[in-house]
């Protein structure tokens, strides 16, 4: 620890308790759905006290957002294959597959709903979403095209379609959405 880093306050975080809490939160979301997850339930399932959970996270949304961050971190931009469009397709397929899985879709939507009335969760959610947007922006920029619209608009089109389908459940989030978006990408390339 250098002189500019303050010493941690209170008891150090137990990595085993931390892991147990994240795993318990995800397990409860899978079993019961986001809205049924409570801090009390997370603590009981993790075998820790509620104060241990509250020491590190203020809400169930914060716990589950950290867990989603870990899940999302495993789904990064693929290494360049030499075919940027195939890389983009692969990234979209992986992103949509992840978003459509239980409990990811349920948790994403639950966190979004909770974030409306929780400014701290909203800020953390924006950070998570920003990271995913950056990855898609990089994938689009790798294509080397100039676009008829700003790259951020293409990002909005892709994620907007995903979120709209997750919220309204009128169409699947998966390979068909990737194919539809690739048609749009091709049409907007100059």
């Amino acid at each position: 620890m250098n002189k500019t880093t303050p010493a941690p306050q209170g008891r150090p975080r137990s990595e085993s308790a931390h892991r147990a809490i994240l795993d318990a939160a995800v397990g409860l979301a899978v079993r019961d759905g986001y809205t049924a997850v409570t801090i009390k339930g997370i603590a009981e399932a993790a075998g820790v006290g509620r104060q241990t959970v509250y020491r590190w996270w203020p809400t169930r949304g914060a716990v589950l957002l950290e867990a989603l961050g870990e899940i999302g971190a495993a789904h990064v931009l693929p290494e360049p294959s030499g075919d940027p469009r195939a890389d983009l397709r692969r990234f979209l397929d992986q992103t949509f597959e992840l978003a459509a899985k239980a409990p990811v879709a349920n948790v994403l939507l639950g966190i979004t709903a909770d974030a409306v009335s929780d400014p701290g969760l909203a800020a953390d959610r924006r950070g998570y979403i920003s990271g995913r947007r950056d990855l898609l922006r990089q994938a689009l920029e790798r294509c080397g095209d100039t676009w008829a619209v700003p790259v951020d608009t293409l990002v909005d089109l892709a994620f907007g379609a995903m979120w709209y389908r997750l919220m309204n459940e009128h169409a699947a989030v998966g390979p068909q959405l990737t194919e539809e978006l690739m048609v749009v990408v091709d049409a907007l390339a100059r």
Side-chain angles (χ1 to χ4, degrees):
M1 191 174 300
N2 63 41
K3 291 181 182 183
T4 61
T5 304
Q9 300 296 313
R11 298 168 71 186
R13 178 181 277 198
S14 160
E15 287 307 314
S16 62
H18 181 255
R19 176 84 268 135
I21 291 166
L22 293 176
D23 292 345
V26 170
L28 291 170
V30 168
R31 188 186 77 196
D32 303 329
Y34 179 83
T35 57
V37 176
T38 64
I39 294 291
K40 179 181 179 185
I42 293 169
E44 288 173 357
V48 300
R50 276 186 272 180
Q51 281 310 111
T52 300
V53 179
Y54 281 120
R55 184 177 304 125
W56 301 325
W57 299 279
T59 64
R60 68 178 173 188
V63 177
L64 283 159
L65 187 58
E66 183 172 327
L68 278 186
E70 287 184 357
I71 293 167
H75 294 79
V76 296
L77 199 57
E79 288 296 319
S81 68
D83 183 346
R85 287 246 183 335
D87 296 343
L88 173 60
R89 177 179 274 109
R90 192 165 61 250
F91 177 75
L92 289 172
D93 278 341
Q94 291 171 353
T95 298
F96 296 155
E97 179 184 348
L98 173 65
K101 281 184 181 175
V104 175
N106 180 269
V107 171
L108 281 171
L109 294 172
I111 288 171
T112 300
D114 284 354
V116 170
S117 61
D118 181 342
L121 183 61
D124 291 344
R125 180 185 163 277
R126 279 192 300 276
Y128 173 79
I129 298 297
S130 175
R132 300 306 299 171
R133 289 178 55 81
D134 287 344
L135 290 173
L136 179 51
R137 187 179 303 107
Q138 289 172 37
L140 288 161
E141 289 170 349
R142 279 186 189 175
C143 291
D145 295 305
T146 56
W147 305 99
V149 297
V151 171
D152 281 335
T153 300
L154 292 172
V155 172
D156 290 343
L157 288 170
F159 284 129
M162 179 194 82
W163 279 96
Y164 192 76
R165 288 180 178 198
L166 288 174
M167 286 188 291
N168 295 300
E169 300 178 337
H170 67 283
V173 173
Q176 183 62 38
L177 178 56
T178 297
E179 292 309 314
E180 293 163 5
L181 288 169
M182 291 306 293
V183 170
V184 173
V185 165
D186 289 338
L188 293 174
R190 290 185 178 168

